[in-house]
Each structure stands twice: as C-alpha cells, then as structure tokens.
Amino acid sequence: MDARGLAPWLADRLPAGAVIIDPVQLATYACDGLAHYKVVPAVVVLPETAEQVATVVRACAEHGVPFVARGAGTGLSGGALPHADGVLVVLSRMRDVVEVDRANQRAVVQPGVVNLQLSALTRPDGYYFAPDPSSQQVCSVGGNVAENSGGAHCLKYGFTTGHVTGLQLVTPAGELVELGGKAPDLPGYDLLGAVVGSEGTLGVATRVTVRLTRTPEAVETLLAGFPDTDSAGRAVSAVISAGVVPAAIEMMDALAIEAAEAAVHCGYPAGAGAVLIVELDGPRPEVAHQFEQVKGMCEDAGAFEIRVAADDTERALIWKGRKSAFAAVGRISPDYIVQDGVIPRTRLAEALTRIEALAGERGVRVANVFHAGDGNLHPLVLFDDAVPGEAERAEEASGAIIDLCIELGGSITGEHGVGSDKAKYMPRMFGEDDLDTMQLVRCAFDPAGIANPGKIFPTPRLCGEVPRRRTASEGAHPLVEAGLADQF
Amino acid sequence: MTTVTDALPRLLEASGGHAREGGVADAVDGLVPPYVVAPTGPRATEAVAAVLRTAHADGLAVVVRGAGTKLGWGAPPRRLDVVLETGGLDELVEHAAGDLVVVTGAGRRLEDLQRDLAGAGQCLAVDPARQGTVGGLVASADAGPARLGRGPVRDLVIGATVVRADGVVARSGGKVVKNVAGYDLGKLLTGSFGTLGVLTRVALRLHPVAEAGAWVTVPVASARHASALVQGVLHAQVVADAAELDRPGEGRAQLAVRLDGIAPGVAARAEQTAALLGTGAQVSDTAPAWWGRDLDAAAHGVTLKASYEPASLAVLLEAVDDASAAVGLPLDVRGSAAVGTLTVGLGGSGHGSDPAQVAAVLAALRGAADRFGGAVVVRDAPAAVRAAVDVWGPVRGLDLMRRVKERLDPTGVLAPGRFVGGI
C-alpha cells in the first residue's frame, strides 16, 4: 500500500483533522527553511502522542512507506524536506513541557516545544536550555535533537548533543524505546550519541530529557569595530590563546554589517570593516577580570571603537544585528545562499581571503557572518536570480567554499546539517568506507531505509535484510494482485 | 576456515611480523590467548586492518589491549584467540595548539599526551592522574573528577579512525570541534569496551590549563547531608569544576569541591563555596590525598559503579548503607557526586571477593535503582566473581544495541561476551 492508501487507516486512529491529504494544505509543508527545495508530501500527519507517532511509523514500516519527521521547519539544509510518496510526521502538536526537575537540572519535553520557551520557562528558577540557534524563537527541541543544533554560545556550552541525557524514540520499525534518562552513564552503547544529530534517519524523538544550565552570575557583552576582518581575526586569536573561553565570539564583515543596518538599524560602528561581538559569562570576579583583558586585546588588535552593553536591553540590541543577519541580507540582495562550513579557527584570515577571491572569480559577492571562536563560517553568497547564469555561479561559489573548508581541514557543516542540500558533498569529506560504516549504523535502526531517505547519504546502502518484505515464494501482496496498491 | 592453531603465519604476515604466541602473562580474565599481535610503525593502522580481516575470516576472537589498566572491566570475554596490543599506535599526529585540538594514535599513553600538551598550556580535560592509553580512555569513557566542569569523554572526542571487525578502516568526525557532518561514530565507540571496532587514531578537543585552582573540603555527616551539600553546589553560581565525595565504609566522609580559573576569581569563588558548604569547610591549594584516585582492585578487590540522578544521592547512599548492613561488609564510596556517578568498593577490610557477597550487594543496590534512577555495574573484580554475577545488569535499549553490534561485527569477533547483554 502506498502513503495515500494509508491515509484512511491513519485517520481512523489519529485525532480529528490530524491526517491531511488536501493538496492545498499539503503544499504548505513542501519545504523547510531551505525554501528552494520543494516536495509536496503524499500525506501529512499531526500526532499528539508518542503512541500515535508509533502507530504512524509502524504502518509505514509495515507497508514500506517512507516517512519524514518535521519540527518547526526552520532547518537550513532541507533535512525535513518531505518525500513525495511518503508521510510527513509533523510534531508541532506535541508541545508539552512534561516536567521541569530543577533538583536534577533536567527538563522533560515533547519534541514540539519551542527552544526559547523552554529557557523562558526555566529562567525564573535560575536555569535555561543552553543550545541557542538563531532560530530559537521558533525552532523546536525535537528539531534541535535531529540536527544537533549549535548556536552562538556553543563555543563554551557545546552543542545539543551535550544537553540531551535521554530520549524516547520511535524507531523506524515503530517500536517505542527509551534511551538514557536523567542519570548519566547508563550501561550500554551511547545510542543517544548516534541518534542526536542523525537528522531524522534513525527514528523520531517523541520525548526529550534535556540538561538545564544554571544561569551565570554575570554576563558582559562588547561590540568592537575593526578596520578589517584581519584585525578582528587577530583579536579572536589573542583571546583564545590567552586561555579565555568566551561564551561567544561572533564576527560580521562589512557587507553583513551593511545588511544588518539596513534591516534592523542596530547602530554598529560606522565605517567598520568588521565587528566582533564578544560575550563572557560566569562568576562575577572572573568575568570582570577577563573582560578587561579582552577589551585590551581588541584594542591591541586595532579596534577603533568598543561598546559595552550596560544592561540586557543594550545586550539584546548588540545581538539583534547578528541574529537577524541571514534575513537581513535580503535587504541588499534579491537572492542569497546561506552556507555553513567549518575551518580550523587559525586559518580564518586565509579562508576569508580565498572566499573573496573565489566569489570574485565568479562575479558574485559574499557577506560573511560567523562563529569566529570555533571557525564556523556562514558565508552568504549574494546573487540575483533575474540575471541569467548568476544563480548557477552563486551555487558554484558556494560549492567552492565547501571545498575550501575541506581542504583546510574543516567540515562541510558546523550546525545546519547535511540534509538534502549537502548529501552530494559528503563524498568530498568522507570516503566510501566511512560512509558505508555510518550506513551500517543506519541499517541497525532502519533496515528498510524508510526514515528520512535521501538525506545525509548520497547513495543509500542496501541493508541486506528488510523485515516483512515478501519473498517471491509468498507471491504478491493481495492488494497488489487486486491492482489496489503498488509495492516497492 | 583455518583453525586457531595454525593462524600464526597469517597473523605474522598481516601484522608485518609483529605477532607471537601468547603466554600466561597475556591472559585476559584467565583466558590465555593463543596469539598476541602488536602492530607498530608507520603502517600500524593498515596492520590492524589486516589482522582484523584475518580474524574476521577465521573467526578469531580479538580483545584489544592498550596499557591494560582497565582490562579487568566488563564481563570476561567468552572466547579469546588474539590479544591486539595498540601500544605501537602511539604517534602524536598533530597538536594544533591554536585550535585547541590534538590528533593522536590511540595507543599513546595519557601521561605522555598530557606532557606533549603542557608546553602549550593545554591539557586533555580528564583528571591528570588518569592512567592508560587514549584508546582505553575512549573505550572505557572514564574521565574522573574533571567531568563535572569539562564534560564526559564523549564530548572531548571530535574525530575517530576505527578499524571495523571486517578490517575496513573508517573515519568519522574530523579535527574541528564544530562539525555535524554524518553520524558521530566517535560517540558510539566511546564506552563500547572494544566491542564495535578498534580505535587507531583519535582527534580530541583540548582545554587551557587553568592558571589557578583551589579545593574546598567539608566533612560529611550523613547521606542526607551529602545530598544537601551537593545540591547547594549544583544550584549555586560558583561554577564548581569538580565535586567529589569520599565516604569510607569505616571512617569519616568528606566532600571536596575543585575550582579552576584565574587567581583572583578562584580565591573569591573558594570563599563563596566555603560559605555555602558551612561548618568545617576549609579552603586549600592542595588536593585531598584521595582526590582523583579510583577505588581500585588492589585495595578493594571488587568495585561497582553506580550511576544515579544527582538529586537522588541520598537514596543511593542509604541503599549502600542498607546493603552494607545486610551483607555485613563495610562499603567504601567515592566519586563524582555532582555528576551522578560513584564507585562502591567492597574490599575495604580485606574481604569482598566472595561472589555470593558481591551478588548480594548488587541485588540490594539494583533493587533500589528505580528509586535513584540509575544503574549499578560491576567494574573491577576477579574474573571468578565477574563470571558468577551479572556484570552489567538490566539495560535499556538492548535490542537496538544488539542490532548495532550485529551490523558492525556480524561474526562477533570483537571481545565477544564483554559487553552488555552478552554482546
């Protein structure tokens, strides 16, 4: 039976309105945050409980129907791109905070809970959820788990994987399993470590136990204007080599600043060729001491203006320019590609010079916004789709940037994930044996290859055994014989 | 298939001449391996691959040995044909000091690695007293006190080269800290006790060595008191880098909190912490004698590792007291109280190696596991004890784990029987 054929059966088992087959409604789910990939799913389901998710996935497994899980749909790599013949499992109705356990510094949430809401809820208790992707106002914790989301503050606090201690997972066979819990080091393989960041290819998280982080005693944020990215880069190196671990160090170049100014009027220093945002947090005496150090290092590296946020309002204003940078680029260019690559931080100056050159060669401009502390670049390749050939040249420049990241010893993605967008680049970073080994893990979870197929891996591995597949001797499925369904 | 007895020529060829017959000194849990292979030199990884291809083809059971410091952990292997020594894979491949990253052969000794890094004012953020090899650290996932502030071993591993059971060499991750390309096999291998693959090379993130440090110690009166103290530290904003409990079965219990940072900051935080811990708290610039030392087999005969929800520390300690009373054996407890892992030692007074007694203690503690939300496993014990008791206890997600093992080691040659559920 195909996905559409499952719809009536699913509609009987899910709440009213939870199964969508209307083409107009289906079309609204055709893409995630990477809008130039569009695929209309065959069916959308909106389950409200883990059992309902398991019911849907079991049905998919039974009939070999692919499924894709989707949170808030903010991902930037097409990780939640639907499958045309598949079921899109939308988790936005599962947004209960099941428990805030302050004593254990944990919260238990459903996957649809919005990242920032969890922090807002726990902040009065002195806690927050540390991973803070730029989309945190809307993105879901389940999506963070799928993508192993980072954010500006993961320089100090690490990625989502370090903040998830337990998961309830619906496996691609439709089993409901518990991995980990509130306690550390439960015996066995670290399956959590494999599942977090697996982009929905190993199952669907239906409940997430997260670590809550104590709010720091003190936070200090500065904005420094530099004449160019080289001098800003020197400041970053000085800070890191002094053994200071800032909560965040972010850099924007002239073009990114121009865009942010046009969009949100953040009032960054006029004439800056680069700005750095440096945030320190922790115990007050340490922050105070190191903040003075950092200011000195910025001045020594050539900063011509340093602004210190006097309070949370001013801090928010400094961050506003940075956090809105991607969208802001729309103000200075009709179209753009957001790239996400990583280089060893010490190669920053070299990388920026070469990015500029390879964009120039292709006649496109690149605005740079990046997590400078960990070498995670977000070059924004600007182009105008109305100009013939420009989109192709932009795509080419974007690909060349990825090759550069690999050449410099980095990664094709630091936080946006591989998804649909970068599967083609995986063989540039990993060999056949590497990818094959990863897919052996996938086969352990998903022998039929129905969980978010087509993502991460350019070539699916056949797992060698597919449960419930009928053999020739069993004959065709009765529905196939009756011409009521196709089997694949 | 060749028989075990005639595998030496093939192992010699595979390892480039670094194979020999095993002897009593090579025994693992009383099993004397017919062969020992110790690849070395620039082509050691290829040699490991060739050895595993041979093992895979011939069905030879392989146990990996680094420095051998934790070889007595886990269940005894069901079979043993080859001990694969990784000490020759000790090349320091790259220390990118400016990036706070090191790439090293898995056989490199931790003490050597820490020395390599010290010149740049950096360290691998596990307790400096940890012994063994990098590969052993990753395979056992045992970080010591530093874990509270710096995270578990899995967070330090950013890239891994692993030789699969069938001899295929695979990499995952890379040498940058921020990287979400592909599955994170490094995490899957961390704590896998050599049952999923043989680590040959590891990329690790580093941390700067703190400029200053202090310990604040306080006597602990009871289980409830210990829990209250730990809760106080966890919910404060002093940012403790480690918090360790030492609670001998006979003697005085103590909690020690470590603060790392810059000198003026540490001094202020130590005072704050002392005030928080209350009566009897003392600030010191030297560690308590027991700090970072595992309750080990030599002194304790048998050790168990308990993990628990941090807020349930008192429940666990009371369960230990109950077990101690029931068995009539003093039980020592030491570990990372604020993380949620403690080691329980049974041999404090020279007893505790009797399988029946160990089984009784295990049963008592596991009986309370639902209440402290964790698990109890046997860590160090004579092979006879480990053969007689359930080393790993109940395991969540075991079916999935078995499937992972079956995919990565379909013929079951890597340390068969060592891990959970007989994996």
Side-chain angles (χ1 to χ4, degrees):
Chain A
M1 194 183 297
D2 66 4
R4 190 56 71 86
L6 283 179
W9 189 89
L10 292 172
D12 283 347
R13 283 153 185 85
L14 266 58
V19 177
I20 297 172
I21 49 167
D22 169 56
V24 176
Q25 280 182 278
L26 287 177
T28 62
Y29 293 98
C31 65
D32 61 8
L34 189 63
H36 63 270
Y37 290 97
K38 284 192 169 61
V39 174
V40 177
V43 179
V44 167
V45 296
L46 295 152
E48 292 173 5
T49 66
E51 288 68 27
Q52 288 170 12
V53 174
T55 299
V56 172
V57 172
R58 258 198 310 275
C60 289
E62 183 70 30
H63 298 279
V65 170
F67 66 89
V68 178
R70 174 185 161 117
T74 57
L76 293 171
S77 58
L81 186 72
H83 193 289
D85 302 316
V87 176
L88 186 71
V89 184
V90 178
L91 297 152
S92 57
R93 288 190 181 173
M94 292 179 65
R95 47 176 75 207
D96 287 346
V97 174
V98 180
E99 185 191 1
V100 174
D101 180 353
R102 182 180 184 275
N104 278 312
Q105 303 181 309
R106 300 285 188 275
V108 182
V109 302
Q110 288 190 319
V113 167
V114 170
N115 174 298
L116 196 60
Q117 280 178 351
L118 180 57
S119 287
L121 183 73
T122 51
R123 212 171 277 275
D125 276 339
Y127 282 89
Y128 70 110
F129 182 52
D132 65 336
S134 293
S135 55
Q136 70 180 144
Q137 291 192 342
V138 283
C139 69
S140 69
V141 174
N144 298 161
V145 168
E147 299 297 314
N148 187 16
S149 300
H153 292 81
C154 63
L155 176 63
K156 178 171 178 178
Y157 292 100
F159 325 98
T160 300
T161 186
H163 299 271
V164 173
T165 63
L167 281 181
Q168 182 188 58
L169 185 79
V170 173
T171 70
E175 312 141 300
L176 207 51
V177 298
E178 298 281 343
L179 304 176
K182 290 179 184 172
D185 292 8
L186 296 179
Y189 295 134
D190 187 356
L191 298 184
L192 273 182
V195 170
V196 178
S198 63
E199 308 193 24
T201 62
L202 300 182
V204 183
T206 47
R207 207 171 54 214
V208 188
T209 304
V210 300
R211 186 191 308 284
L212 297 173
T213 303
R214 184 72 175 92
T215 48
E217 186 181 29
V219 183
E220 292 283 4
T221 310
L222 68 75
L223 176 76
F226 291 85
D228 49 43
T229 53
D230 276 2
S231 50
R234 280 199 301 277
V236 176
S237 289
V239 170
I240 302 282
S241 37
V244 176
V245 183
I249 306 191
E250 303 284 303
M251 199 193 296
M252 292 166 69
D253 72 1
L255 207 49
I257 298 167
E258 182 192 327
E261 285 297 342
V264 297
H265 313 291
C266 43
Y268 283 0
V275 294
L276 273 189
I277 298 171
V278 187
E279 191 158 284
L280 298 182
D281 69 12
R284 197 176 307 283
E286 311 229 337
V287 169
H289 180 88
Q290 293 193 322
F291 199 61
E292 289 308 311
Q293 257 185 301
V294 168
K295 275 197 277 187
M297 289 167 188
C298 287
E299 280 161 7
D300 292 347
F304 62 83
E305 185 178 336
I306 295 179
R307 291 184 203 159
V308 175
D311 53 32
D312 284 346
T313 312
E314 289 190 20
R315 186 174 359 269
L317 191 63
I318 287 178
W319 277 109
K320 191 176 175 187
R322 165 62 188 89
K323 294 211 171 188
S324 59
F326 292 180
V329 165
R331 298 293 182 112
I332 59 165
S333 175
D335 304 287
Y336 60 95
I337 298 169
V338 179
Q339 192 46 283
D340 167 45
V342 187
I343 53 159
R345 198 192 41 73
T346 45
R347 315 283 300 262
L348 198 60
E350 180 187 353
L352 291 179
T353 306
R354 289 180 60 185
I355 287 173
E356 197 180 346
L358 56 86
E361 287 160 19
R362 290 162 182 85
V364 292
R365 294 186 303 164
V366 173
N368 281 294
V369 178
F370 44 89
H371 306 299
D374 45 30
N376 186 192
L377 311 178
H378 290 310
L380 298 145
V381 184
L382 315 183
F383 67 99
D384 184 349
D385 206 16
V387 178
E390 206 166 296
E392 290 73 21
R393 281 183 281 123
E395 181 63 37
E396 217 184 284
S398 183
I401 290 171
I402 284 307
D403 285 334
L404 175 66
C405 290
I406 297 169
E407 183 199 323
L408 295 178
S411 170
I412 63 171
T413 171
E415 56 186 7
H416 295 176
V418 177
S420 309
D421 195 35
K422 287 187 168 166
K424 60 181 179 288
Y425 297 131
M426 285 291 276
R428 301 192 196 175
M429 180 161 168
F430 295 108
E432 215 171 291
D433 289 341
D434 308 337
L435 295 174
D436 184 64
T437 305
M438 291 177 194
Q439 292 214 63
L440 284 175
V441 175
R442 180 185 194 156
C443 289
F445 283 77
D446 181 19
I450 58 170
N452 212 6
K455 314 297 163 65
I456 306 180
F457 302 106
T459 322
R461 184 187 212 278
L462 294 176
C463 295
E465 62 174 70
V466 182
R468 298 189 190 89
R469 171 160 291 184
R470 285 169 172 265
T471 60
S473 62
E474 288 177 280
H477 191 281
L479 284 172
V480 178
E481 279 190 332
L484 293 172
D486 290 328
Q487 196 172 18
F488 51 85
Chain B
M1 183 180 278
T2 43
T3 60
V4 168
T5 48
D6 58 13
L8 188 60
R10 297 192 60 188
L11 291 171
L12 273 167
E13 191 192 338
S15 64
H18 301 289
R20 61 175 170 84
E21 286 182 353
V24 176
D26 305 306
V28 177
D29 290 327
L31 293 176
V32 177
Y35 308 106
V36 175
V37 182
T40 187
R43 299 190 56 79
T45 297
E46 289 85 341
V48 170
V51 167
L52 287 182
R53 274 196 299 276
T54 302
H56 183 72
D58 293 357
L60 304 177
V62 178
V63 167
V64 184
R65 178 191 158 102
T69 55
K70 301 172 189 74
L71 214 53
W73 293 10
R78 273 193 300 271
R79 311 183 281 128
L80 177 61
D81 301 311
V82 179
V83 164
L84 176 55
E85 296 194 331
T86 59
L89 295 147
D90 65 345
E91 183 194 4
L92 182 75
V93 181
E94 181 185 2
H95 175 201
D99 294 312
L100 288 157
V101 166
V102 71
V103 183
T104 175
R108 194 158 189 84
R109 295 259 184 168
L110 288 172
E111 54 268 38
D112 293 339
L113 182 69
Q114 299 288 22
R115 217 173 13 248
D116 303 329
L117 306 172
Q122 298 177 359
C123 65
L124 178 64
V126 296
D127 192 73
R130 297 282 109 175
Q131 302 268 311
T133 61
V134 169
L137 173 81
V138 175
S140 66
D142 185 58
R147 174 173 175 178
L148 181 67
R150 297 302 191 199
V153 173
R154 49 114 83 178
D155 290 0
L156 304 174
V157 178
I158 59 171
T161 303
V162 60
V163 181
R164 264 168 28 190
D166 60 3
V168 170
V169 182
R171 295 172 306 128
S172 80
K175 54 175 189 172
V176 286
V177 172
K178 202 168 182 186
N179 177 9
V180 294
Y183 292 164
D184 194 342
L185 300 183
K187 287 194 171 52
L188 196 57
L189 285 157
T190 304
S192 66
F193 280 73
T195 61
L196 289 182
V198 180
L199 281 167
T200 55
R201 187 175 277 193
V202 185
L204 299 155
R205 75 175 293 191
L206 305 173
H207 286 81
V209 175
E211 174 191 312
W215 285 266
V216 185
T217 56
V218 66
V220 175
S222 66
R224 297 273 147 199
H225 186 217
S227 187
L229 290 170
V230 167
Q231 283 289 306
V233 170
L234 278 175
H235 298 304
Q237 291 172 312
V238 292
V239 190
D241 289 281
E244 296 280 302
L245 176 69
D246 179 52
R247 188 172 180 260
E250 294 166 329
R252 302 176 67 84
Q254 193 179 48
L255 182 77
V257 176
R258 160 93 185 173
L259 302 151
D260 281 331
I262 52 169
V266 165
R269 285 157 64 208
E271 286 310 316
Q272 261 179 290
T273 305
L276 194 72
L277 295 178
T279 315
Q282 286 188 326
V283 178
S284 170
D285 56 7
T286 54
W290 52 269
W291 182 268
R293 291 169 190 269
D294 288 336
L295 296 179
D296 60 2
H300 299 269
V302 171
T303 61
L304 314 176
K305 177 180 169 181
S307 58
Y308 58 97
E309 297 173 5
S312 299
L313 173 60
V315 178
L316 173 62
L317 293 177
E318 284 163 4
V320 170
D321 290 341
D322 291 347
S324 171
V327 182
L329 199 64
L331 298 177
D332 303 328
V333 175
R334 187 181 293 167
S336 303
V339 169
T341 64
L342 290 174
T343 307
V344 180
L346 275 72
S349 54
H351 306 292
S353 293
D354 169 19
Q357 266 184 328
V358 178
V361 172
L362 269 178
L365 294 181
R366 284 177 181 159
D370 279 348
R371 287 188 288 123
F372 56 78
V376 182
V377 303
V378 177
R379 177 169 272 185
D380 230 328
V385 172
R386 284 181 293 129
V389 302
D390 181 358
V391 166
W392 294 103
V395 178
R396 241 177 216 189
L398 184 58
D399 280 353
L400 272 176
M401 291 172 194
R402 286 190 206 284
R403 283 182 243 163
V404 169
K405 169 74 172 179
E406 281 160 15
R407 291 291 176 176
L408 289 172
D409 180 14
T411 58
V413 297
L414 291 173
R418 193 88 156 141
F419 204 47
V420 298
I423 285 174

